Amino acid sequence: MANRETKMNTQEQHPMSEKGRAEAEPVGMPVGGEGDARQVVTPDESVGGKALVGKVALVAGGTRAAGRGVAVQLGAAGATVYVTGRSTRAGRSEMDRPETIEETAELVDAAGGRGIAVRVDHTKPEQVRALVQRIEEQQGALHILVNDIWGQAGEPEWDKTVWESSLDSGLRLLRLGVETHAITSHFALPLLLKTPGGLVVEMTDGTDEYNAANYRVSFFYDVAKGAVSRMAFALAHEVRDRGATVVLLTPGWLRSEAMLDGFGVTEENWRDATEKIPHFAISESPSYVGRAVAALAADPEVARWNGKSTSSGDLAKIYGFTDLDGSQPDAWRYIVEVEAQGKPANTAGYR
């Protein structure tokens, strides 16, 4: 969630994802090796144990934050997960973060799945085409597509009008956060639709209900999030008679790697940050939204979600999964009912 108290890169919460630099491995080449795996791996039996054995997933934008959380939890449920991004051990993206797709793939392996890291720039149609061809050749099917690509570098332009914003940065944001989703769906959907029951998750920041009533960060950020919402709506319309399901999903206040670094805390002592930012008490780990995706993917009646907007907190109530600490934070309800009302931080009844 974009929270003005943090002045952080909001999409690092799911950031929703990213990808790295041209010097990295060419598309279609596997990458591997040792690294600092910073995200906790804790499979949650409540999402169905190994319910996804035999399923193939593509997490587009799985380098870090929500994308990494989703990839790991799909692996914990037994899936084979292709993890794409631009940041590899051979080179970083313009976000200049240390996390890599190799680390994410190793975390998928450690969780009990099979992680396959592939360096892909999703703004390049030829690279995405090659990726999907590789998945079809190696696996014969694609069952789950998670569009979690973002890639904004640096600080958002908080409350900047369109005429005050950097046009180059704003158009780059739309390219990374909107075009990439369209390109990936264009090439991946034909393969996914070959097998009935496919799931597409469009990751965003904020539910449809919240975003419809609130200006989000800046002109370009708001437009990017609105576009992803409409993509989910349009895709749901296009696949509804073709045996697939499309869901728009948002995490809450995500404890991404960048968020934790900005607050000078870790996943182990994150509560120390509430001394300065009390409402951070409602935050959640990337594993929480990952468990949300795994629960959807394991649901034999997932078609009931087609075209709907939901959150990790909402799905936790329905499917019964928890965050790493055993709680069920409901960040978007908290924002509206507590933070927006100017009330003191109090998560009782919200996690």
Side-chain angles (χ1 to χ4, degrees):
M1 116 199 1
N3 187 298
R4 294 183 58 182
E5 292 179 279
T6 68
K7 296 297 183 183
M8 295 286 299
N9 181 347
T10 55
Q11 266 322 96
E12 267 303 298
Q13 35 175 18
H14 78 247
M16 246 149 227
S17 20
E18 184 280 336
K19 315 223 150 251
R21 188 143 296 188
E23 308 87 65
E25 331 276 333
V27 64
M29 295 298 292
V31 290
E34 298 304 317
D36 175 22
R38 302 174 63 189
Q39 197 169 106
V40 179
V41 178
T42 310
D44 188 344
E45 293 302 321
S46 67
V47 303
K50 296 296 183 181
L52 300 181
V53 171
K55 300 296 185 181
V56 179
L58 166 59
V59 179
T63 310
R64 59 183 64 84
R68 175 172 284 189
V70 170
V72 172
Q73 292 303 320
L74 289 174
T80 294
V81 185
Y82 284 78
V83 180
T84 65
R86 296 174 301 160
S87 289
T88 76
R89 291 186 180 123
R92 297 183 180 187
S93 75
E94 64 266 31
M95 293 184 76
D96 197 26
R97 293 281 313 172
E99 302 83 25
T100 67
I101 56 175
E102 295 97 325
E103 290 175 2
T104 302
E106 289 162 2
L107 288 167
V108 172
D109 291 343
R114 182 187 177 202
I116 302 172
V118 186
R119 197 264 180 198
V120 178
D121 182 341
H122 284 260
T123 68
K124 308 294 186 184
E126 65 279 7
Q127 293 191 19
V128 180
R129 180 191 291 110
L131 167 68
V132 174
Q133 288 175 345
R134 173 179 170 175
I135 294 173
E136 183 167 25
E137 291 170 0
Q138 293 181 341
Q139 309 297 334
L142 176 65
H143 305 99
I144 303 158
L145 168 63
V146 181
N147 266 328
D148 186 41
I149 312 155
W150 184 247
Q152 177 177 324
E155 191 67 18
E157 295 186 302
W158 293 90
D159 296 322
K160 287 289 183 72
T161 64
V162 66
W163 60 90
E164 294 171 322
S165 301
S166 162
L167 186 58
D168 287 344
S169 296
L171 294 178
R172 176 68 172 165
L173 181 65
L174 295 181
R175 183 156 175 73
L176 290 169
V178 179
E179 280 190 31
T180 54
H181 288 231
I183 291 169
T184 304
S185 293
H186 174 81
F187 290 108
L189 263 293
L191 178 58
L192 183 138
L193 290 172
K194 287 183 178 181
T195 305
L199 173 65
V200 179
V201 178
E202 282 289 339
M203 297 288 288
T204 189
D205 174 22
T207 63
D208 270 351
E209 181 181 14
Y210 184 86
N211 288 350
N214 292 273
Y215 177 78
R216 302 307 312 279
V217 181
S218 69
F219 172 84
F220 285 106
Y221 188 97
D222 198 305
V223 168
K225 295 298 117 187
V228 170
S229 172
R230 291 302 298 183
M231 281 187 182
F233 175 86
L235 286 174
H237 173 81
E238 293 173 356
V239 307
R240 66 184 179 189
D241 297 324
R242 294 177 168 87
T245 299
V246 179
V247 181
L248 182 70
L249 177 62
T250 179
W253 191 342
L254 199 77
R255 293 196 300 273
S256 68
E257 297 86 351
M259 189 71 71
L260 293 172
D261 287 350
F263 286 158
V265 294
T266 66
E267 183 59 33
E268 288 67 38
N269 70 342
W270 67 267
R271 288 177 181 80
D272 292 351
T274 63
E275 296 177 9
K276 292 183 178 179
I277 310 293
H279 289 300
F280 194 54
I282 197 61
S283 66
E284 63 194 57
S285 79
S287 293
Y288 194 46
V289 74
R291 290 172 174 176
V293 175
L296 286 169
D299 184 354
E301 298 180 359
V302 69
R304 61 186 163 142
W305 291 101
N306 191 46
K308 289 185 167 57
S309 166
T310 188
S311 68
S312 48
D314 283 342
L315 292 179
K317 298 174 192 173
I318 294 167
Y319 290 107
F321 61 85
T322 68
D323 204 347
L324 297 175
D325 61 2
S327 69
Q328 293 179 311
D330 189 356
W332 293 102
R333 187 167 63 89
Y334 178 91
I335 290 172
V336 172
E337 297 177 5
V338 179
E339 186 176 13
Q341 302 303 317
K343 297 179 181 179
N346 183 352
T347 61
Y350 295 93
R351 70 172 308 138

